[in-house]
Amino acid sequence: MQNSEPTLDTIEDYNGKENNEKRMTIWLVIVAGLLIGAIYGLIQAKSAVSDALPAHSGIIKY
């Protein structure tokens, strides 16, 4: 049975050998995720939550 798993030295992205296109794609995904999270957080922070309790609940207490 042969060992067909690659070693770290044979992987093209190991030890800083990745090309610039892959590096820019990773940075783009990270920045896009942070921007989407920031926009979502701002929307949640600015939205009003109605947490007022009703004055009359309709429950009759004896």
Side-chain angles (χ1 to χ4, degrees):
M1 194 154 140
Q2 279 186 331
N3 186 6
S4 62
E5 292 186 19
T7 62
L8 290 177
D9 294 333
T10 60
I11 297 175
E12 66 183 30
D13 293 340
Y14 179 69
N15 204 14
K17 297 177 187 174
E18 66 273 352
N19 60 18
N20 286 336
E21 184 180 354
K22 286 183 182 181
R23 186 175 292 172
M24 292 304 293
T25 302
I26 291 170
W27 277 108
L28 181 67
V29 168
I30 291 171
V31 170
L34 289 173
L35 285 174
I36 290 170
I39 292 169
Y40 181 75
L42 285 173
I43 291 171
Q44 290 296 325
K46 298 287 182 180
S47 65
V49 177
S50 176
D51 58 353
L53 295 173
H56 186 2
S57 64
I59 298 174
I60 301 171
K61 193 174 187 181
Y62 292 107

